[in-house]
Amino acid sequence: MSLDSQWWRTAVVYQIYPRSFADSDGDGIGDLAGIRSRLGYLAELGVDAIWLSPFYPSPLADGGYDITDHRDVDPRLGTLEDFVALVEDAHAHQLAVIIDIVPNHTSDQHPWFLAAVAAGAGSPERERYIFRDGAGPDGEQPPSDWRSHFGGSAWQRVDGGQWYCHLFAREQPDLNWDHPQIREYFLGTLRFWADLGVDGFRIDVAHSLAKDLSEPLRSQPNLDRALPLDGTDPLYDREEVHEIYRSWRAVFDSYDPPKMAVAETWHPTTSRTYLYARPSELGQVFDFSLLKAEWGRDEFLAVIRRSLRDHQGVGGGLTWVLSSHDVPRHPSRYALPLGVTPEDWLRSNGSRPAVDPAAAQRRGRAATLLMLALPGSAYLYQGEELGLLEVADLHEDDLRDPVWERSGHALKGRDGCRVPLPWTRGGPSFGFGPGGAWLPQPAWFAAHSAEAQAAEPDSTLNLYRRALVLRRALHGDDLSLDWIDTGDPELLCFARRNGWLVVVNFSARPKPLPSGRVILASRSLDGDQLPGETTVWIVRP
Ligand code: TEU
């Protein structure tokens, strides 16, 4: 396939969580051959690229984000040859391939970490990680108040001796990015995969690599998601992290076309977030503000406006996301009453309150058509095109996300959006593979299977397919958007180029339909009325 150097600016990227996508060999774990067998489906869906979450060797303490070898494939998922074949096939289907790079930490089973533990305090092996003596008379207290994103302290003691830092699970020790060998290793890792033909990289926890490790360690008892950041925090979004990405850009630009990259940063979006997207750095950064917004016209309008503004002047790309492997699926989120957090709802196994699946679908579809009409690039998460809801009632014994244990069973975690996909109405794992599935699939997956959805003209799958065809024709590389004030506080309305008008009715009541030719609606229209909780795309001459 031939990609132009700016292809990623308007691309629709489909996130694959490999262990839950398609299983070729019946071991219950999705694999590379499974993905390969479904490339035709993805090409027909109409996406431009796939992003593969980690497929590297991993003890699976954090769903593959705990890696023992950054330059290999987990044998349960395939081999490097399978990977190369997958990239070739994807390209033959006109799909670009983006892979996940996880530079903040390794697995605690990585040979470097095993060597560091064995070598003892003060050794060069320990320099690759962040080891410190503990506080208190016998060093029995953690060296600082830093917290893990998954709950509890970010420090773990080894054999009554030193402590190491892990911003995520205990099995994910943080690397020391002040160490030149770590920097070299990741530059080499980017080249390794680029040479195998990948087109881009998604950078995990991109804002945490540079840390202020000077003594005494500075206090930071908060997690990034609640912090206003200004470049001076000891752990998050430090000014120095940008040097790393400038050195990565030199690697990206040594290929023709240059490799693309997208930063994952979880702190509240501000104009600082877009610094990662500078053309001299990664080019793109996930903007999670829309993903974090609750269903409602004013909040959606405010976050979209702010992102359009924050992005200005940087020269990097704009991105939009509604769902990922880290958050409950968006239709389920939108069906919760305001004030009920998805975490509380999951804790009740989806029973308090019971969500109305029809309302979830209405709102989810309306939000999707809104997102796909925004200027820039859109990231979809596997299964959203099937209208999948969050699997909220997974049994506690089945949970695999480390969040469950580390939160002391206060949070169920992220497994509910990682349940293996249903491809067929029946079969041992709804067509996921010839055997079972590593997380149990609910009976309602049958109606959401790709097979059932393909057969139904108004299904969510067919809506996504139609939307992506139209988007390709209408969207172009134009980034302009004009807000239109309809005078109705329950409508959100904007115009793109070529007379493309987008109207979202956030209320439950029908509204008069604006004039023009309706080319797509998230719900069947009712004569000349725009139904409640519906988005329409209209073209005006
Ligand atoms: O996520 C980064 C991150 O900050 C998440 O922990 C986020 O706060 C949380 O998922 C929100 O619910 C990335 C990956 O996307 C995630 O899957 C990994 O667990 C994490 O990094 C560690 O590698």
Side-chain angles (χ1 to χ4, degrees):
M1 80 185 292
S2 78
L3 288 170
D4 100 28
S5 64
Q6 304 296 310
W7 67 273
W8 45 273
R9 286 186 183 269
T10 52
V12 177
V13 181
Y14 183 97
Q15 181 191 354
I16 292 180
Y17 193 73
R19 290 176 178 80
S20 302
F21 187 70
D23 176 23
S24 70
D25 58 11
D27 65 357
I29 302 172
D31 47 38
L32 298 186
I35 298 171
R36 239 178 118 187
S37 73
R38 299 291 180 185
L39 290 171
Y41 167 86
L42 296 173
E44 194 185 346
L45 177 60
V47 299
D48 302 295
I50 53 175
W51 148 33
L52 304 176
S53 276
F55 49 80
Y56 313 108
S58 166
L60 299 181
D62 181 23
Y65 282 89
D66 49 317
I67 297 168
T68 54
D69 185 350
H70 293 75
R71 300 186 190 174
D72 206 350
V73 175
D74 191 312
R76 288 165 290 191
L77 273 63
T79 62
L80 275 175
E81 288 68 41
D82 292 330
F83 180 81
V84 171
L86 169 59
V87 172
E88 280 171 5
D89 275 10
H91 288 167
H93 282 91
Q94 304 302 313
L95 296 166
V97 178
I98 299 169
I99 62 167
D100 226 302
I101 295 289
V102 186
N104 182 69
H105 43 261
T106 67
S107 160
D108 65 346
Q109 301 303 308
H110 191 288
W112 283 350
F113 191 73
L114 296 175
V117 172
S123 61
E125 286 82 356
R126 287 209 172 176
E127 286 297 307
R128 294 197 191 102
Y129 294 89
I130 304 171
F131 277 89
R132 288 290 182 278
D133 293 331
D138 299 315
E140 74 291 354
Q141 302 286 332
S144 77
D145 58 2
W146 300 350
R147 288 179 54 210
S148 153
H149 292 267
F150 295 159
S153 167
W155 294 97
Q156 176 70 30
R157 197 172 194 187
V158 287
D159 293 338
Q162 285 193 304
W163 298 68
Y164 66 88
C165 168
H166 61 90
L167 288 184
F168 293 88
R170 179 163 47 80
E171 298 87 350
Q172 290 166 298
D174 279 45
L175 287 164
N176 171 17
W177 273 84
D178 290 341
H179 197 309
Q181 202 191 349
I182 300 302
R183 296 194 180 221
E184 275 310 309
Y185 179 74
F186 277 94
L187 288 169
T189 301
L190 295 171
R191 281 191 217 100
F192 176 86
W193 293 105
D195 289 343
L196 291 183
V198 309
D199 305 291
F201 303 96
R202 176 261 191 194
I203 314 304
D204 191 57
V205 209
H207 62 315
S208 284
L209 310 190
K211 300 181 179 73
D212 179 2
L213 299 175
S214 57
E215 297 290 342
L217 295 177
R218 287 162 56 196
S219 165
Q220 179 47 282
N222 300 304
L223 295 176
D224 55 349
R225 62 191 77 161
L227 288 173
L229 294 166
D230 64 1
T232 64
D233 187 88
L235 298 176
Y236 302 110
D237 191 36
R238 293 184 63 70
E239 211 42 56
E240 299 93 280
V241 81
H242 293 288
E243 286 165 33
I244 299 172
Y245 300 128
R246 285 190 282 274
S247 73
W248 290 18
R249 173 52 54 187
V251 174
F252 303 150
D253 285 353
S254 68
Y255 293 85
D256 181 22
K259 304 302 173 190
M260 63 75 75
V262 55
E264 187 227 22
T265 70
W266 204 260
H267 56 81
T269 309
T270 65
S271 55
R272 282 195 63 82
T273 309
Y274 277 94
L275 297 179
Y276 295 84
R278 283 180 281 203
S280 56
E281 299 188 21
L282 298 175
Q284 247 189 12
V285 58
F286 284 124
D287 186 326
F288 290 128
S289 53
L290 188 59
L291 172 146
K292 291 175 189 169
E294 292 196 52
W295 171 257
R297 187 258 195 185
D298 293 349
E299 196 169 341
F300 271 52
L301 178 61
V303 296
I304 296 167
R305 274 202 153 124
R306 214 179 45 218
S307 296
L308 291 170
R309 193 193 58 216
D310 287 343
H311 151 268
Q312 269 172 18
V314 172
L318 258 174
T319 61
W320 307 100
V321 196
L322 295 175
S323 278
S324 80
H325 67 301
D326 284 335
V327 291
R329 288 186 176 276
H330 68 269
S332 298
R333 293 200 315 268
Y334 297 149
L336 296 178
L338 291 184
V340 176
T341 67
E343 290 76 21
D344 287 346
W345 174 70
L346 286 177
R347 203 61 199 90
S348 76
N349 291 325
S351 66
R352 285 191 307 276
V355 306
D356 171 8
Q361 295 302 346
R362 274 199 310 274
R363 294 174 177 189
R365 288 163 62 124
T368 295
L369 287 202
L370 163 62
M371 173 177 78
L372 290 176
L374 292 171
S377 161
Y379 282 78
L380 307 180
Y381 175 56
Q382 66 177 40
E384 67 169 86
E385 79 281 13
L386 303 175
L388 290 190
L389 301 172
E390 183 75 359
V391 181
D393 56 356
L394 285 173
H395 191 275
E396 295 178 357
D397 296 342
D398 289 321
L399 299 178
R400 294 286 174 273
D401 188 347
V403 167
W404 169 241
E405 289 300 335
R406 288 200 64 88
S407 68
H409 299 182
L411 301 172
K412 273 186 91 177
R414 301 161 294 176
D415 292 310
C417 63
R418 299 175 178 179
V419 176
L421 291 192
W423 292 95
T424 51
R425 287 192 185 89
S429 51
F430 297 108
F432 168 65
W438 68 276
L439 280 173
Q441 300 157 300
W444 54 262
F445 262 30
H448 288 269
S449 63
E451 181 187 31
Q453 293 269 312
E456 197 192 305
D458 290 329
S459 67
T460 302
L461 176 59
N462 282 318
L463 179 71
Y464 272 71
R465 284 175 175 166
R466 283 196 291 272
L468 293 176
V469 170
L470 290 168
R471 177 187 154 102
R472 208 178 273 267
L474 291 164
H475 197 277
D477 51 10
D478 173 65
L479 289 184
S480 63
L481 176 157
D482 295 312
W483 294 107
I484 294 173
D485 184 4
T486 61
D488 184 328
E490 295 178 317
L491 293 181
L492 185 144
C493 183
F494 58 86
R496 301 287 313 277
R497 62 167 198 175
N498 294 337
W500 182 15
L501 189 74
V502 179
V503 190
V504 190
N505 178 6
F506 277 87
S507 80
R509 288 174 300 281
K511 305 273 181 178
L513 196 59
S515 65
R517 184 165 60 89
V518 174
I519 54 169
L520 193 63
S522 62
R523 190 179 171 193
S524 314
L525 297 184
D526 184 8
D528 57 356
Q529 297 285 296
L530 169 60
E533 301 180 334
T534 302
T535 298
V536 278
W537 291 2
I538 289 174
V539 174
R540 283 176 170 174

